[in-house]
Amino acid sequence: MVSDLPSEVDLAIVGAGVAGLAAAKTARARGLSVAVLEAQTRTGGRAFTDALNAGDGKAPLPWDRGCHWLHQARENPFTEIADSLGFRYRKSDCTTRIWLGNRWADNTELAERWAAAERAEAAVAAAARSGHDVAMAEVMPDLGRWDGIHRQFLRAMTGEDPAATSAVDDHRYKETDDNWPVEAGFGALIAAWAAELPVATATPVRRLDRTGADLRLETDRGILQARTAILTPSTNVLLSGDLRVDPALPGDLLDTLDGVPLGAANKVALAFDRDVFGLDHALVAHQPDAPRGCNFQIRPFGRDMAVAYTGGPLARELEQTDPAEMTAFAVDQLVAMFGSDVRRHLVSSATTAWGRDPWIRGSYTVCRPGRADARERLLQPVEDRIWLAGEACSLSAFGTVRGAYASGTEAARQAAASLSRANGA
Ligand SMILES: Cc1cc2nc3c(=O)[nH]c(=O)nc-3n(C[C@H](O)[C@H](O)[C@H](O)COP(=O)(O)OP(=O)(O)OC[C@H]3O[C@@H](n4cnc5c(N)ncnc54)[C@H](O)[C@@H]3O)c2cc1C
């Protein structure tokens, strides 16, 4: 943690998630004086590898509370960063299983399920290509027995129900088949990459005054003057008004933020004292009651653990309950699939409630139907001295670390260019 805040900098960066950290690296490399102000006591934001108690005498198990997969891994800058820092990741596919209530789907049924997903994607793509910015659910065909599970999958991916997700925006996301998990945790990788950056943690910015020639940022640890600023808090945090901007951000920008709010996605991590699954590195979906089902990662990297994943309305509902109820919900589904050993050999659990974190307020952005122009609008600076950055501001990798990184890097480049114009360079 930085002990004293500087009184004056070229660039103030609000938030030390991936976007803020990438902006800081870029700006420092261009010779700007920079202050990174982070509300929480740690850096990383939605990137955070935690340790799960594995029981007596065993090393704790790393698990990612937020980001876990290197999405678009072949083009993801963090793949190269992982290589350079000696972090290992897994390239090969996971085994996939779907529970049908009394047995696992066989290979023919799995092929049917993937074919159903392709039909749904094709319908959304056709609507998007014709510029028809409606809800995904409006154009998805009925997928018969696979309808529930496909919608469950979409809710996990977007954090929202397909009835409230823009088809055009969803189609812009660049989907690739290279999603690779990081063995020691993606959050740990990001923390190692950013370790050398000076960040003022436990320093929430309460007010940004943009009336003067310099910007004035009021924090719990004093006041900072800055010539330019990059704001990386999530859209829901900016909409909450907890960071007051005076005069307020332009009305159309506030309305735009509301077009890409955060959805809900949460995890339950479970540790066991032995292998209760007989599977390694598998992705398992619980089908029978799909709208209330979870997806599970089973024994990632051969560890005696499982991580349940919920998204959309169910994740929102569960995060309002308590950790015990969330854990019971996940364990009941595992018991239905793998038997009562799961309950008997459970050692510990941990849950997330991202929507209840006041500095995050959700999982990742999801575009409302009819608002597919929103992300583009977020890219326009305010008075050529304030930029928004973060996963919300990515057009094809929103909701990901990769998108946050690119957005933070670009905002810092623009801030540097604006400062050098102002200096007459
Ligand atoms: C459950 C879950 C699973 C995910 N899985 C993946 C995945 O597998 N792969 C992937 O690529 N992505 C994944 N993501 C998304 C990814 O984590 C995010 O897209 C990315 O981390 C967002 O970075 P950011 O910098 O835009 O925002 P954030 O991480 O939200 O950073 C913003 C920072 O601003 C701080 N802040 C807020 N208000 C203030 C204030 N007033 N003053 C100072 N600081 C403030 C916050 O504390 C936070 O640290 C997942 C997210 C979740 C929640």
Side-chain angles (χ1 to χ4, degrees):
M1 170 168 164
V2 170
S3 50
D4 288 314
L5 281 189
S7 55
E8 226 179 292
V9 288
D10 293 325
L11 173 65
I13 298 171
V14 182
V18 174
L21 296 167
K25 288 208 175 217
T26 308
R28 279 159 58 98
R30 282 170 162 64
L32 304 190
S33 60
V34 175
V36 188
L37 311 166
E38 167 56 49
Q40 310 206 45
T41 52
R42 60 166 183 85
T43 62
R46 285 170 265 173
F48 177 29
T49 302
D50 208 348
L52 185 65
N53 174 11
D56 291 344
K58 292 192 185 162
L61 303 169
W63 72 287
D64 282 307
R65 288 183 162 269
C67 58
H68 177 70
W69 306 90
L70 290 158
H71 292 311
Q72 305 166 341
R74 289 190 182 83
E75 303 166 20
N76 194 319
F78 281 96
T79 306
E80 210 179 301
I81 293 168
D83 290 338
S84 68
L85 294 175
F87 276 71
R88 292 197 306 224
Y89 44 83
R90 186 184 148 113
K91 288 187 180 179
S92 49
D93 280 347
C94 299
T95 315
T96 301
R97 294 278 179 97
I98 297 175
W99 181 250
L100 297 175
N102 53 2
R103 65 179 176 83
W104 297 106
D106 62 25
N107 286 342
T108 311
E109 288 164 323
L110 286 177
E112 268 176 27
R113 188 264 176 272
W114 303 132
E118 278 170 22
R119 284 207 305 286
E121 274 162 30
V124 170
R129 276 195 292 269
S130 68
H132 205 38
D133 191 16
V134 293
M136 290 172 77
E138 248 183 71
V139 294
M140 274 166 54
D142 179 356
L143 302 175
R145 71 190 292 206
W146 306 111
D147 208 63
I149 201 157
H150 188 62
R151 284 165 196 260
Q152 175 189 322
F153 167 78
L154 292 175
R155 283 189 284 265
M157 292 300 102
T158 63
E160 189 47 278
D161 195 85
T165 305
S166 154
V168 169
D169 187 69
D170 185 82
H171 181 62
R172 285 186 187 139
Y173 180 83
K174 190 175 171 198
E175 184 64 67
T176 56
D177 61 358
D178 45 349
N179 301 301
W180 301 342
V182 181
E183 186 167 353
F186 201 171
L189 168 62
I190 288 161
W193 161 73
E196 97 317 329
L197 276 177
V199 174
T201 49
T203 309
V205 179
R206 305 290 179 182
R207 181 165 175 261
L208 168 60
D209 179 346
R210 59 184 184 100
T211 48
D214 271 351
L215 300 167
R216 191 181 135 95
L217 290 95
E218 297 175 8
T219 83
D220 286 7
R221 293 176 57 219
I223 289 172
L224 174 74
Q225 306 260 119
R227 296 175 68 197
T228 58
I230 296 177
L231 309 184
T232 74
S234 73
T235 53
N236 282 12
V237 170
L238 292 174
L239 284 165
S240 75
D242 283 356
L243 164 52
R244 209 172 106 203
V245 183
D246 281 328
L249 292 170
D252 76 307
L253 183 53
L254 287 172
D255 178 58
T256 303
L257 289 167
D258 188 51
V260 278
L262 269 66
N266 279 304
K267 300 183 186 182
V268 181
L270 304 157
F272 302 90
D273 62 15
R274 67 195 63 184
D275 175 8
V276 287
F277 300 112
L279 286 175
D280 250 2
H281 220 90
L283 290 178
V284 166
H286 185 265
Q287 158 80 336
D289 191 11
R292 296 192 57 78
C294 290
N295 300 324
F296 291 89
Q297 241 188 306
I298 301 289
R299 300 193 82 242
F301 297 99
R303 296 172 182 138
D304 287 329
M305 67 186 298
V307 181
Y309 201 103
T310 61
L314 174 63
R316 209 168 275 132
E317 175 196 320
L318 285 175
E319 73 185 6
Q320 295 310 321
T321 67
D322 60 20
E325 202 170 317
M326 272 179 86
T327 303
F329 179 82
V331 169
D332 286 349
Q333 296 208 353
L334 282 176
V335 168
M337 296 185 284
F338 293 97
S340 54
D341 264 7
V342 165
R343 212 183 298 283
R344 208 168 310 132
H345 294 289
L346 181 65
V347 174
S348 71
S349 63
T351 57
T352 68
W354 286 102
R356 290 171 63 179
D357 180 332
W359 302 112
I360 308 289
R361 294 177 181 259
S363 57
Y364 22 80
T365 49
V366 55
C367 182
R368 296 187 199 276
R371 305 302 305 275
D373 56 343
R375 298 187 196 278
E376 193 103 43
R377 166 66 185 95
L378 296 182
L379 304 180
Q380 292 164 25
V382 178
E383 301 171 335
D384 206 27
R385 60 176 181 163
I386 301 173
W387 287 262
L388 302 188
E391 55 87 4
C393 305
S394 168
L395 303 183
S396 62
F398 46 84
T400 70
V401 165
R402 178 169 183 247
Y405 174 96
S407 158
T409 303
E410 180 55 26
R413 273 193 207 123
Q414 291 192 20
S418 162
L419 284 165
S420 82
R421 276 194 302 276
N423 291 340

